[in-house]
Amino acid sequence: MRPPANFCQVCGHSLEDRSVHGRVRRVCPACGFVHFEDPKVAVAAFIEDGGRVLLVRRAFNPERGKWALPAGYVDYGEDPAAAAIREVKEETGLDIAIAGVLGVSGGSGQFGASIVITYTATVLDGVARPADDADAVLWLSPGDALPDIAFTSTRQALAAWQQRGKQHFGADSR
Ligand SMILES: [Zn+2]
């Protein structure tokens, strides 16, 4: 959870709790400004290339040292698909094309984001190298053991993807 807003961003007066528009919100008694606590939106990219999916190891907390999809926050006014493309470029150097939406999850889950949009994507150009929030990259194959994954939603998506891959490749030949 984010800390509550204490001061009015319009006039600087202290805010107080009032019931406004159906729930308790922080309101300025001096100028009437209502501080709406908006959802924080993050995007992640499920990038498939040659039957493998790209993971990055997180260089910072939360979940430092664990593996995740390339991901980050959507800036105010930014198209979420463009944010996914930007984050992948920052963390891996890859240029990607968005293929579709894998899922949208809500709640207070990963990174403290309220809404996470996970896109499927393909590689347009480049060789994956870690940078920015990532300190390693890994192309995971369907038959590989899952490394230590940072977020439950990612673990579930990867497990489903691996299961599909095994069926597709008629597996357990090892
Ligand atoms: Zn005010």
Side-chain angles (χ1 to χ4, degrees), residues 68-94:
L69 301 175
Y73 290 114
V74 179
D75 281 333
Y76 182 79
E78 186 179 32
D79 180 273
I85 290 169
R86 173 181 56 74
E87 287 288 346
V88 169
K89 183 73 174 179
E90 287 173 6
E91 294 185 2
T92 73
L94 288 180

mmCIF file with all atom_site columns, all heavy atoms in Angstrom, residues 68-94:
data_model
loop_
_atom_site.group_PDB
_atom_site.id
_atom_site.type_symbol
_atom_site.label_atom_id
_atom_site.label_alt_id
_atom_site.label_comp_id
_atom_site.label_asym_id
_atom_site.label_entity_id
_atom_site.label_seq_id
_atom_site.pdbx_PDB_ins_code
_atom_site.Cartn_x
_atom_site.Cartn_y
_atom_site.Cartn_z
_atom_site.occupancy
_atom_site.B_iso_or_equiv
_atom_site.pdbx_formal_charge
_atom_site.auth_seq_id
_atom_site.auth_comp_id
_atom_site.auth_asym_id
_atom_site.auth_atom_id
_atom_site.pdbx_PDB_model_num
ATOM 1   N N   . ALA A 1 68 ? 11.731 -12.916 -13.537 1.00 0.00 ? 68 ALA A N   1
ATOM 2   C CA  . ALA A 1 68 ? 10.421 -12.354 -13.857 1.00 0.00 ? 68 ALA A CA  1
ATOM 3   C C   . ALA A 1 68 ? 10.358 -12.054 -15.345 1.00 0.00 ? 68 ALA A C   1
ATOM 4   O O   . ALA A 1 68 ? 11.375 -12.104 -16.051 1.00 0.00 ? 68 ALA A O   1
ATOM 5   C CB  . ALA A 1 68 ? 10.184 -11.074 -13.063 1.00 0.00 ? 68 ALA A CB  1
ATOM 6   N N   . LEU A 1 69 ? 9.178  -11.737 -15.814 1.00 0.00 ? 69 LEU A N   1
ATOM 7   C CA  . LEU A 1 69 ? 9.047  -11.201 -17.163 1.00 0.00 ? 69 LEU A CA  1
ATOM 8   C C   . LEU A 1 69 ? 9.555  -9.766  -17.146 1.00 0.00 ? 69 LEU A C   1
ATOM 9   O O   . LEU A 1 69 ? 9.427  -9.077  -16.130 1.00 0.00 ? 69 LEU A O   1
ATOM 10  C CB  . LEU A 1 69 ? 7.576  -11.216 -17.600 1.00 0.00 ? 69 LEU A CB  1
ATOM 11  C CG  . LEU A 1 69 ? 6.877  -12.576 -17.621 1.00 0.00 ? 69 LEU A CG  1
ATOM 12  C CD1 . LEU A 1 69 ? 5.399  -12.388 -17.952 1.00 0.00 ? 69 LEU A CD1 1
ATOM 13  C CD2 . LEU A 1 69 ? 7.540  -13.516 -18.622 1.00 0.00 ? 69 LEU A CD2 1
ATOM 14  N N   . PRO A 1 70 ? 10.115 -9.300  -18.271 1.00 0.00 ? 70 PRO A N   1
ATOM 15  C CA  . PRO A 1 70 ? 10.437 -7.867  -18.345 1.00 0.00 ? 70 PRO A CA  1
ATOM 16  C C   . PRO A 1 70 ? 9.162  -7.068  -18.074 1.00 0.00 ? 70 PRO A C   1
ATOM 17  O O   . PRO A 1 70 ? 8.108  -7.373  -18.633 1.00 0.00 ? 70 PRO A O   1
ATOM 18  C CB  . PRO A 1 70 ? 10.901 -7.673  -19.791 1.00 0.00 ? 70 PRO A CB  1
ATOM 19  C CG  . PRO A 1 70 ? 11.300 -9.035  -20.273 1.00 0.00 ? 70 PRO A CG  1
ATOM 20  C CD  . PRO A 1 70 ? 10.416 -9.999  -19.536 1.00 0.00 ? 70 PRO A CD  1
ATOM 21  N N   . ALA A 1 71 ? 9.271  -6.067  -17.209 1.00 0.00 ? 71 ALA A N   1
ATOM 22  C CA  . ALA A 1 71 ? 8.051  -5.381  -16.776 1.00 0.00 ? 71 ALA A CA  1
ATOM 23  C C   . ALA A 1 71 ? 8.385  -4.031  -16.184 1.00 0.00 ? 71 ALA A C   1
ATOM 24  O O   . ALA A 1 71 ? 9.530  -3.757  -15.812 1.00 0.00 ? 71 ALA A O   1
ATOM 25  C CB  . ALA A 1 71 ? 7.319  -6.231  -15.729 1.00 0.00 ? 71 ALA A CB  1
ATOM 26  N N   . GLY A 1 72 ? 7.377  -3.197  -16.077 1.00 0.00 ? 72 GLY A N   1
ATOM 27  C CA  . GLY A 1 72 ? 7.572  -1.911  -15.428 1.00 0.00 ? 72 GLY A CA  1
ATOM 28  C C   . GLY A 1 72 ? 6.283  -1.119  -15.420 1.00 0.00 ? 72 GLY A C   1
ATOM 29  O O   . GLY A 1 72 ? 5.249  -1.582  -15.912 1.00 0.00 ? 72 GLY A O   1
ATOM 30  N N   . TYR A 1 73 ? 6.369  0.075   -14.873 1.00 0.00 ? 73 TYR A N   1
ATOM 31  C CA  . TYR A 1 73 ? 5.182  0.907   -14.749 1.00 0.00 ? 73 TYR A CA  1
ATOM 32  C C   . TYR A 1 73 ? 4.877  1.665   -16.040 1.00 0.00 ? 73 TYR A C   1
ATOM 33  O O   . TYR A 1 73 ? 5.782  2.030   -16.784 1.00 0.00 ? 73 TYR A O   1
ATOM 34  C CB  . TYR A 1 73 ? 5.361  1.922   -13.620 1.00 0.00 ? 73 TYR A CB  1
ATOM 35  C CG  . TYR A 1 73 ? 5.356  1.293   -12.252 1.00 0.00 ? 73 TYR A CG  1
ATOM 36  C CD1 . TYR A 1 73 ? 6.490  1.310   -11.457 1.00 0.00 ? 73 TYR A CD1 1
ATOM 37  C CD2 . TYR A 1 73 ? 4.210  0.681   -11.763 1.00 0.00 ? 73 TYR A CD2 1
ATOM 38  C CE1 . TYR A 1 73 ? 6.493  0.736   -10.201 1.00 0.00 ? 73 TYR A CE1 1
ATOM 39  C CE2 . TYR A 1 73 ? 4.196  0.106   -10.502 1.00 0.00 ? 73 TYR A CE2 1
ATOM 40  C CZ  . TYR A 1 73 ? 5.339  0.132   -9.731  1.00 0.00 ? 73 TYR A CZ  1
ATOM 41  O OH  . TYR A 1 73 ? 5.328  -0.432  -8.494  1.00 0.00 ? 73 TYR A OH  1
ATOM 42  N N   . VAL A 1 74 ? 3.601  1.901   -16.238 1.00 0.00 ? 74 VAL A N   1
ATOM 43  C CA  . VAL A 1 74 ? 3.158  2.766   -17.332 1.00 0.00 ? 74 VAL A CA  1
ATOM 44  C C   . VAL A 1 74 ? 3.236  4.204   -16.850 1.00 0.00 ? 74 VAL A C   1
ATOM 45  O O   . VAL A 1 74 ? 2.711  4.529   -15.779 1.00 0.00 ? 74 VAL A O   1
ATOM 46  C CB  . VAL A 1 74 ? 1.707  2.427   -17.730 1.00 0.00 ? 74 VAL A CB  1
ATOM 47  C CG1 . VAL A 1 74 ? 1.228  3.337   -18.858 1.00 0.00 ? 74 VAL A CG1 1
ATOM 48  C CG2 . VAL A 1 74 ? 1.588  0.961   -18.140 1.00 0.00 ? 74 VAL A CG2 1
ATOM 49  N N   . ASP A 1 75 ? 3.905  5.042   -17.621 1.00 0.00 ? 75 ASP A N   1
ATOM 50  C CA  . ASP A 1 75 ? 3.968  6.457   -17.259 1.00 0.00 ? 75 ASP A CA  1
ATOM 51  C C   . ASP A 1 75 ? 2.624  7.117   -17.522 1.00 0.00 ? 75 ASP A C   1
ATOM 52  O O   . ASP A 1 75 ? 1.842  6.677   -18.360 1.00 0.00 ? 75 ASP A O   1
ATOM 53  C CB  . ASP A 1 75 ? 5.037  7.181   -18.096 1.00 0.00 ? 75 ASP A CB  1
ATOM 54  C CG  . ASP A 1 75 ? 6.432  6.920   -17.571 1.00 0.00 ? 75 ASP A CG  1
ATOM 55  O OD1 . ASP A 1 75 ? 6.574  6.660   -16.353 1.00 0.00 ? 75 ASP A OD1 1
ATOM 56  O OD2 . ASP A 1 75 ? 7.371  6.963   -18.372 1.00 0.00 ? 75 ASP A OD2 1
ATOM 57  N N   . TYR A 1 76 ? 2.383  8.225   -16.790 1.00 0.00 ? 76 TYR A N   1
ATOM 58  C CA  . TYR A 1 76 ? 1.144  8.967   -17.012 1.00 0.00 ? 76 TYR A CA  1
ATOM 59  C C   . TYR A 1 76 ? 1.080  9.420   -18.470 1.00 0.00 ? 76 TYR A C   1
ATOM 60  O O   . TYR A 1 76 ? 2.042  9.989   -18.992 1.00 0.00 ? 76 TYR A O   1
ATOM 61  C CB  . TYR A 1 76 ? 1.098  10.183  -16.077 1.00 0.00 ? 76 TYR A CB  1
ATOM 62  C CG  . TYR A 1 76 ? -0.190 10.963  -16.216 1.00 0.00 ? 76 TYR A CG  1
ATOM 63  C CD1 . TYR A 1 76 ? -1.353 10.518  -15.596 1.00 0.00 ? 76 TYR A CD1 1
ATOM 64  C CD2 . TYR A 1 76 ? -0.235 12.110  -16.993 1.00 0.00 ? 76 TYR A CD2 1
ATOM 65  C CE1 . TYR A 1 76 ? -2.533 11.213  -15.735 1.00 0.00 ? 76 TYR A CE1 1
ATOM 66  C CE2 . TYR A 1 76 ? -1.422 12.813  -17.135 1.00 0.00 ? 76 TYR A CE2 1
ATOM 67  C CZ  . TYR A 1 76 ? -2.565 12.363  -16.503 1.00 0.00 ? 76 TYR A CZ  1
ATOM 68  O OH  . TYR A 1 76 ? -3.733 13.053  -16.648 1.00 0.00 ? 76 TYR A OH  1
ATOM 69  N N   . GLY A 1 77 ? -0.054 9.125   -19.123 1.00 0.00 ? 77 GLY A N   1
ATOM 70  C CA  . GLY A 1 77 ? -0.233 9.553   -20.510 1.00 0.00 ? 77 GLY A CA  1
ATOM 71  C C   . GLY A 1 77 ? 0.390  8.626   -21.536 1.00 0.00 ? 77 GLY A C   1
ATOM 72  O O   . GLY A 1 77 ? 0.295  8.887   -22.738 1.00 0.00 ? 77 GLY A O   1
ATOM 73  N N   . GLU A 1 78 ? 1.034  7.554   -21.061 1.00 0.00 ? 78 GLU A N   1
ATOM 74  C CA  . GLU A 1 78 ? 1.727  6.649   -21.978 1.00 0.00 ? 78 GLU A CA  1
ATOM 75  C C   . GLU A 1 78 ? 0.802  5.501   -22.384 1.00 0.00 ? 78 GLU A C   1
ATOM 76  O O   . GLU A 1 78 ? 0.074  4.949   -21.564 1.00 0.00 ? 78 GLU A O   1
ATOM 77  C CB  . GLU A 1 78 ? 2.973  6.080   -21.281 1.00 0.00 ? 78 GLU A CB  1
ATOM 78  C CG  . GLU A 1 78 ? 3.859  5.228   -22.179 1.00 0.00 ? 78 GLU A CG  1
ATOM 79  C CD  . GLU A 1 78 ? 5.099  4.704   -21.446 1.00 0.00 ? 78 GLU A CD  1
ATOM 80  O OE1 . GLU A 1 78 ? 5.003  4.455   -20.224 1.00 0.00 ? 78 GLU A OE1 1
ATOM 81  O OE2 . GLU A 1 78 ? 6.132  4.561   -22.092 1.00 0.00 ? 78 GLU A OE2 1
ATOM 82  N N   . ASP A 1 79 ? 0.844  5.130   -23.653 1.00 0.00 ? 79 ASP A N   1
ATOM 83  C CA  . ASP A 1 79 ? 0.109  3.955   -24.109 1.00 0.00 ? 79 ASP A CA  1
ATOM 84  C C   . ASP A 1 79 ? 0.740  2.713   -23.462 1.00 0.00 ? 79 ASP A C   1
ATOM 85  O O   . ASP A 1 79 ? 1.962  2.559   -23.486 1.00 0.00 ? 79 ASP A O   1
ATOM 86  C CB  . ASP A 1 79 ? 0.217  3.856   -25.634 1.00 0.00 ? 79 ASP A CB  1
ATOM 87  C CG  . ASP A 1 79 ? -0.531 2.649   -26.162 1.00 0.00 ? 79 ASP A CG  1
ATOM 88  O OD1 . ASP A 1 79 ? 0.080  1.554   -26.205 1.00 0.00 ? 79 ASP A OD1 1
ATOM 89  O OD2 . ASP A 1 79 ? -1.704 2.782   -26.510 1.00 0.00 ? 79 ASP A OD2 1
ATOM 90  N N   . PRO A 1 80 ? -0.074 1.825   -22.867 1.00 0.00 ? 80 PRO A N   1
ATOM 91  C CA  . PRO A 1 80 ? 0.517  0.686   -22.152 1.00 0.00 ? 80 PRO A CA  1
ATOM 92  C C   . PRO A 1 80 ? 1.335  -0.248  -23.042 1.00 0.00 ? 80 PRO A C   1
ATOM 93  O O   . PRO A 1 80 ? 2.354  -0.787  -22.593 1.00 0.00 ? 80 PRO A O   1
ATOM 94  C CB  . PRO A 1 80 ? -0.694 -0.029  -21.540 1.00 0.00 ? 80 PRO A CB  1
ATOM 95  C CG  . PRO A 1 80 ? -1.894 0.572   -22.174 1.00 0.00 ? 80 PRO A CG  1
ATOM 96  C CD  . PRO A 1 80 ? -1.522 1.916   -22.692 1.00 0.00 ? 80 PRO A CD  1
ATOM 97  N N   . ALA A 1 81 ? 0.916  -0.432  -24.285 1.00 0.00 ? 81 ALA A N   1
ATOM 98  C CA  . ALA A 1 81 ? 1.706  -1.273  -25.190 1.00 0.00 ? 81 ALA A CA  1
ATOM 99  C C   . ALA A 1 81 ? 3.068  -0.624  -25.463 1.00 0.00 ? 81 ALA A C   1
ATOM 100 O O   . ALA A 1 81 ? 4.101  -1.299  -25.508 1.00 0.00 ? 81 ALA A O   1
ATOM 101 C CB  . ALA A 1 81 ? 0.951  -1.510  -26.496 1.00 0.00 ? 81 ALA A CB  1
ATOM 102 N N   . ALA A 1 82 ? 3.068  0.694   -25.613 1.00 0.00 ? 82 ALA A N   1
ATOM 103 C CA  . ALA A 1 82 ? 4.324  1.422   -25.809 1.00 0.00 ? 82 ALA A CA  1
ATOM 104 C C   . ALA A 1 82 ? 5.197  1.308   -24.560 1.00 0.00 ? 82 ALA A C   1
ATOM 105 O O   . ALA A 1 82 ? 6.428  1.221   -24.658 1.00 0.00 ? 82 ALA A O   1
ATOM 106 C CB  . ALA A 1 82 ? 4.037  2.890   -26.133 1.00 0.00 ? 82 ALA A CB  1
ATOM 107 N N   . ALA A 1 83 ? 4.568  1.280   -23.394 1.00 0.00 ? 83 ALA A N   1
ATOM 108 C CA  . ALA A 1 83 ? 5.328  1.121   -22.148 1.00 0.00 ? 83 ALA A CA  1
ATOM 109 C C   . ALA A 1 83 ? 6.001  -0.249  -22.099 1.00 0.00 ? 83 ALA A C   1
ATOM 110 O O   . ALA A 1 83 ? 7.152  -0.366  -21.660 1.00 0.00 ? 83 ALA A O   1
ATOM 111 C CB  . ALA A 1 83 ? 4.400  1.293   -20.940 1.00 0.00 ? 83 ALA A CB  1
ATOM 112 N N   . ALA A 1 84 ? 5.299  -1.276  -22.561 1.00 0.00 ? 84 ALA A N   1
ATOM 113 C CA  . ALA A 1 84 ? 5.883  -2.621  -22.577 1.00 0.00 ? 84 ALA A CA  1
ATOM 114 C C   . ALA A 1 84 ? 7.088  -2.667  -23.524 1.00 0.00 ? 84 ALA A C   1
ATOM 115 O O   . ALA A 1 84 ? 8.142  -3.215  -23.182 1.00 0.00 ? 84 ALA A O   1
ATOM 116 C CB  . ALA A 1 84 ? 4.835  -3.644  -22.993 1.00 0.00 ? 84 ALA A CB  1
ATOM 117 N N   . ILE A 1 85 ? 6.941  -2.064  -24.679 1.00 0.00 ? 85 ILE A N   1
ATOM 118 C CA  . ILE A 1 85 ? 8.035  -2.019  -25.655 1.00 0.00 ? 85 ILE A CA  1
ATOM 119 C C   . ILE A 1 85 ? 9.237  -1.266  -25.067 1.00 0.00 ? 85 ILE A C   1
ATOM 120 O O   . ILE A 1 85 ? 10.383 -1.699  -25.168 1.00 0.00 ? 85 ILE A O   1
ATOM 121 C CB  . ILE A 1 85 ? 7.548  -1.354  -26.958 1.00 0.00 ? 85 ILE A CB  1
ATOM 122 C CG1 . ILE A 1 85 ? 6.552  -2.284  -27.671 1.00 0.00 ? 85 ILE A CG1 1
ATOM 123 C CG2 . ILE A 1 85 ? 8.716  -1.003  -27.873 1.00 0.00 ? 85 ILE A CG2 1
ATOM 124 C CD1 . ILE A 1 85 ? 5.795  -1.636  -28.823 1.00 0.00 ? 85 ILE A CD1 1
ATOM 125 N N   . ARG A 1 86 ? 8.942  -0.155  -24.392 1.00 0.00 ? 86 ARG A N   1
ATOM 126 C CA  . ARG A 1 86 ? 10.002 0.654   -23.780 1.00 0.00 ? 86 ARG A CA  1
ATOM 127 C C   . ARG A 1 86 ? 10.719 -0.112  -22.669 1.00 0.00 ? 86 ARG A C   1
ATOM 128 O O   . ARG A 1 86 ? 11.957 -0.132  -22.603 1.00 0.00 ? 86 ARG A O   1
ATOM 129 C CB  . ARG A 1 86 ? 9.382  1.949   -23.219 1.00 0.00 ? 86 ARG A CB  1
ATOM 130 C CG  . ARG A 1 86 ? 10.346 2.805   -22.412 1.00 0.00 ? 86 ARG A CG  1
ATOM 131 C CD  . ARG A 1 86 ? 9.667  4.058   -21.858 1.00 0.00 ? 86 ARG A CD  1
ATOM 132 N NE  . ARG A 1 86 ? 8.480  3.797   -21.037 1.00 0.00 ? 86 ARG A NE  1
ATOM 133 C CZ  . ARG A 1 86 ? 8.522  3.314   -19.788 1.00 0.00 ? 86 ARG A CZ  1
ATOM 134 N NH1 . ARG A 1 86 ? 9.676  3.024   -19.210 1.00 0.00 ? 86 ARG A NH1 1
ATOM 135 N NH2 . ARG A 1 86 ? 7.394  3.105   -19.117 1.00 0.00 ? 86 ARG A NH2 1
ATOM 136 N N   . GLU A 1 87 ? 9.951  -0.771  -21.794 1.00 0.00 ? 87 GLU A N   1
ATOM 137 C CA  . GLU A 1 87 ? 10.564 -1.496  -20.676 1.00 0.00 ? 87 GLU A CA  1
ATOM 138 C C   . GLU A 1 87 ? 11.443 -2.649  -21.174 1.00 0.00 ? 87 GLU A C   1
ATOM 139 O O   . GLU A 1 87 ? 12.521 -2.901  -20.623 1.00 0.00 ? 87 GLU A O   1
ATOM 140 C CB  . GLU A 1 87 ? 9.476  -2.038  -19.739 1.00 0.00 ? 87 GLU A CB  1
ATOM 141 C CG  . GLU A 1 87 ? 8.794  -0.964  -18.893 1.00 0.00 ? 87 GLU A CG  1
ATOM 142 C CD  . GLU A 1 87 ? 9.713  -0.421  -17.799 1.00 0.00 ? 87 GLU A CD  1
ATOM 143 O OE1 . GLU A 1 87 ? 10.759 -1.035  -17.506 1.00 0.00 ? 87 GLU A OE1 1
ATOM 144 O OE2 . GLU A 1 87 ? 9.372  0.635   -17.231 1.00 0.00 ? 87 GLU A OE2 1
ATOM 145 N N   . VAL A 1 88 ? 10.984 -3.354  -22.201 1.00 0.00 ? 88 VAL A N   1
ATOM 146 C CA  . VAL A 1 88 ? 11.775 -4.462  -22.743 1.00 0.00 ? 88 VAL A CA  1
ATOM 147 C C   . VAL A 1 88 ? 13.080 -3.930  -23.335 1.00 0.00 ? 88 VAL A C   1
ATOM 148 O O   . VAL A 1 88 ? 14.149 -4.511  -23.146 1.00 0.00 ? 88 VAL A O   1
ATOM 149 C CB  . VAL A 1 88 ? 10.966 -5.249  -23.797 1.00 0.00 ? 88 VAL A CB  1
ATOM 150 C CG1 . VAL A 1 88 ? 11.868 -6.218  -24.562 1.00 0.00 ? 88 VAL A CG1 1
ATOM 151 C CG2 . VAL A 1 88 ? 9.823  -5.992  -23.127 1.00 0.00 ? 88 VAL A CG2 1
ATOM 152 N N   . LYS A 1 89 ? 12.980 -2.810  -24.023 1.00 0.00 ? 89 LYS A N   1
ATOM 153 C CA  . LYS A 1 89 ? 14.182 -2.196  -24.596 1.00 0.00 ? 89 LYS A CA  1
ATOM 154 C C   . LYS A 1 89 ? 15.150 -1.804  -23.479 1.00 0.00 ? 89 LYS A C   1
ATOM 155 O O   . LYS A 1 89 ? 16.355 -2.058  -23.565 1.00 0.00 ? 89 LYS A O   1
ATOM 156 C CB  . LYS A 1 89 ? 13.779 -0.957  -25.417 1.00 0.00 ? 89 LYS A CB  1
ATOM 157 C CG  . LYS A 1 89 ? 14.930 -0.266  -26.122 1.00 0.00 ? 89 LYS A CG  1
ATOM 158 C CD  . LYS A 1 89 ? 15.425 -1.065  -27.305 1.00 0.00 ? 89 LYS A CD  1
ATOM 159 C CE  . LYS A 1 89 ? 16.493 -0.291  -28.087 1.00 0.00 ? 89 LYS A CE  1
ATOM 160 N NZ  . LYS A 1 89 ? 16.995 -1.092  -29.223 1.00 0.00 ? 89 LYS A NZ  1
ATOM 161 N N   . GLU A 1 90 ? 14.622 -1.221  -22.396 1.00 0.00 ? 90 GLU A N   1
ATOM 162 C CA  . GLU A 1 90 ? 15.471 -0.769  -21.293 1.00 0.00 ? 90 GLU A CA  1
ATOM 163 C C   . GLU A 1 90 ? 16.150 -1.944  -20.584 1.00 0.00 ? 90 GLU A C   1
ATOM 164 O O   . GLU A 1 90 ? 17.317 -1.869  -20.218 1.00 0.00 ? 90 GLU A O   1
ATOM 165 C CB  . GLU A 1 90 ? 14.639 0.013   -20.269 1.00 0.00 ? 90 GLU A CB  1
ATOM 166 C CG  . GLU A 1 90 ? 14.223 1.404   -20.736 1.00 0.00 ? 90 GLU A CG  1
ATOM 167 C CD  . GLU A 1 90 ? 13.264 2.089   -19.772 1.00 0.00 ? 90 GLU A CD  1
ATOM 168 O OE1 . GLU A 1 90 ? 12.996 1.536   -18.682 1.00 0.00 ? 90 GLU A OE1 1
ATOM 169 O OE2 . GLU A 1 90 ? 12.781 3.187   -20.112 1.00 0.00 ? 90 GLU A OE2 1
ATOM 170 N N   . GLU A 1 91 ? 15.396 -3.026  -20.374 1.00 0.00 ? 91 GLU A N   1
ATOM 171 C CA  . GLU A 1 91 ? 15.904 -4.124  -19.551 1.00 0.00 ? 91 GLU A CA  1
ATOM 172 C C   . GLU A 1 91 ? 16.693 -5.162  -20.343 1.00 0.00 ? 91 GLU A C   1
ATOM 173 O O   . GLU A 1 91 ? 17.510 -5.887  -19.770 1.00 0.00 ? 91 GLU A O   1
ATOM 174 C CB  . GLU A 1 91 ? 14.735 -4.822  -18.822 1.00 0.00 ? 91 GLU A CB  1
ATOM 175 C CG  . GLU A 1 91 ? 14.070 -3.917  -17.797 1.00 0.00 ? 91 GLU A CG  1
ATOM 176 C CD  . GLU A 1 91 ? 12.995 -4.637  -16.994 1.00 0.00 ? 91 GLU A CD  1
ATOM 177 O OE1 . GLU A 1 91 ? 12.789 -5.845  -17.194 1.00 0.00 ? 91 GLU A OE1 1
ATOM 178 O OE2 . GLU A 1 91 ? 12.360 -3.971  -16.153 1.00 0.00 ? 91 GLU A OE2 1
ATOM 179 N N   . THR A 1 92 ? 16.428 -5.282  -21.643 1.00 0.00 ? 92 THR A N   1
ATOM 180 C CA  . THR A 1 92 ? 17.059 -6.355  -22.429 1.00 0.00 ? 92 THR A CA  1
ATOM 181 C C   . THR A 1 92 ? 17.711 -5.874  -23.723 1.00 0.00 ? 92 THR A C   1
ATOM 182 O O   . THR A 1 92 ? 18.426 -6.636  -24.357 1.00 0.00 ? 92 THR A O   1
ATOM 183 C CB  . THR A 1 92 ? 16.028 -7.441  -22.808 1.00 0.00 ? 92 THR A CB  1
ATOM 184 O OG1 . THR A 1 92 ? 15.163 -6.941  -23.826 1.00 0.00 ? 92 THR A OG1 1
ATOM 185 C CG2 . THR A 1 92 ? 15.197 -7.868  -21.604 1.00 0.00 ? 92 THR A CG2 1
ATOM 186 N N   . GLY A 1 93 ? 17.422 -4.667  -24.154 1.00 0.00 ? 93 GLY A N   1
ATOM 187 C CA  . GLY A 1 93 ? 17.946 -4.168  -25.411 1.00 0.00 ? 93 GLY A CA  1
ATOM 188 C C   . GLY A 1 93 ? 17.187 -4.639  -26.640 1.00 0.00 ? 93 GLY A C   1
ATOM 189 O O   . GLY A 1 93 ? 17.492 -4.226  -27.759 1.00 0.00 ? 93 GLY A O   1
ATOM 190 N N   . LEU A 1 94 ? 16.208 -5.514  -26.433 1.00 0.00 ? 94 LEU A N   1
ATOM 191 C CA  . LEU A 1 94 ? 15.463 -6.064  -27.575 1.00 0.00 ? 94 LEU A CA  1
ATOM 192 C C   . LEU A 1 94 ? 14.397 -5.094  -28.077 1.00 0.00 ? 94 LEU A C   1
ATOM 193 O O   . LEU A 1 94 ? 13.749 -4.410  -27.284 1.00 0.00 ? 94 LEU A O   1
ATOM 194 C CB  . LEU A 1 94 ? 14.755 -7.370  -27.181 1.00 0.00 ? 94 LEU A CB  1
ATOM 195 C CG  . LEU A 1 94 ? 15.591 -8.618  -26.960 1.00 0.00 ? 94 LEU A CG  1
ATOM 196 C CD1 . LEU A 1 94 ? 14.684 -9.775  -26.576 1.00 0.00 ? 94 LEU A CD1 1
ATOM 197 C CD2 . LEU A 1 94 ? 16.401 -8.954  -28.211 1.00 0.00 ? 94 LEU A CD2 1
#
